[in-house]
Amino acid sequence: MHIFTLKAESDRGYARNRFPRIVPSVLFRTRVRDDSIEGSNPYRWQDVSSYEIFGSKKVLLFSLPGAFTPTCDTMQLPLFEKLAEEFYLQGFDDIYCLSVNDSFVMNRWAESHNLEHVKVLPDGSAEFTRAMKMDVQKDNLGFGVRSWRYAVVVENGTITHWFLEDGKDDNAEEDPYKYTNPAFILSRI
């Protein structure tokens, strides 16, 4: 199933197909701008917990194989940025783009797109991606471990909707982009 809504109170922990129902508890290693730091790299390390991102709010998280890769860079991220206001009108507090890339790459990618509405979230060690059961090998492309393309709606730390592309498998030849298209997601929430 590509899209499913999780509403049953008795469905604790994991959803159908054994996907998590509760957002995994991890620390994201991020780099944040700090104007007190001089020089060409005015950023400092800041650990951010899953709770800080997903607790006490409604969040849309979409995950993709990699920053600067063709579909992610030319279609998915720009369209989420373009349609962000429509998500906010639906009651979302934040929109996050996650990828198995480090914070340096994710920050540079956000900068290259002049993002104003979508926040980037680095999962450099794929810890969150593995806990979400969305990790796949992309050795056929020289990428190593990456995230399968998916999106979730999270309310107060609980995943209420999953949007998952077909064909999740290691070294998949195809890179589908249908169910995680922001226009499609908007039509289903």
Side-chain angles (χ1 to χ4, degrees):
M1 182 173 276
H2 317 294
I3 309 151
F4 47 97
T5 304
L6 308 173
K7 295 291 182 188
E9 288 299 318
S10 63
D11 188 13
R12 300 242 183 249
Y14 286 86
R16 283 179 258 182
N17 299 324
R18 304 278 306 149
F19 298 126
R21 178 161 164 57
I22 306 297
V23 172
S25 177
V26 302
L27 280 178
F28 295 97
R29 299 277 297 154
T30 67
R31 299 274 294 163
V32 295
R33 187 172 185 86
D34 184 340
D35 291 330
S36 71
I37 299 173
E38 295 182 21
S40 62
N41 189 13
Y43 292 85
R44 63 177 165 75
W45 288 105
Q46 180 172 316
D47 289 348
V48 181
S49 72
S50 298
Y51 180 78
E52 292 172 87
I53 295 168
F54 301 107
S56 303
K57 52 183 137 175
K58 184 176 181 180
V59 176
L60 176 70
L61 169 74
F62 67 99
S63 187
L64 38 77
F68 297 106
T69 58
T71 302
C72 307
D73 192 55
T74 62
M75 290 188 271
Q76 195 170 20
L77 180 62
L79 192 51
F80 268 105
E81 177 70 13
K82 180 179 177 182
L83 296 177
E85 291 296 331
E86 293 185 43
F87 283 100
Y88 293 130
L89 290 172
Q90 296 284 333
F92 285 88
D93 297 299
D94 290 310
I95 301 168
Y96 282 93
C97 172
L98 180 136
S99 183
V100 180
N101 289 113
D102 63 60
S103 192
F104 295 99
V105 170
M106 293 299 282
N107 285 348
R108 179 63 75 185
W109 194 35
E111 185 180 296
S112 76
H113 280 279
N114 298 311
L115 295 181
E116 295 178 17
H117 306 292
V118 174
K119 300 173 183 179
V120 294
L121 195 55
D123 189 22
S125 297
E127 183 180 359
F128 187 86
T129 298
R130 284 186 181 100
M132 290 290 281
K133 303 195 180 306
M134 289 289 110
D135 56 306
V136 292
Q137 289 298 129
K138 291 273 194 181
D139 295 321
N140 60 327
L141 300 175
F143 290 175
V145 175
R146 292 300 174 120
S147 176
W148 190 249
R149 200 180 298 277
Y150 72 94
V152 290
V153 175
V154 181
E155 297 185 45
N156 302 317
T158 301
I159 299 168
T160 60
H161 298 76
W162 272 90
F163 298 86
L164 178 64
E165 296 297 347
D166 282 332
K168 180 182 175 284
D169 200 7
D170 288 338
N171 299 308
E173 292 296 321
E174 299 296 319
D175 180 24
Y177 174 56
K178 177 179 178 182
Y179 302 111
T180 58
N181 180 309
F184 181 85
I185 294 170
L186 277 168
S187 75
R188 296 298 195 270
I189 56 173

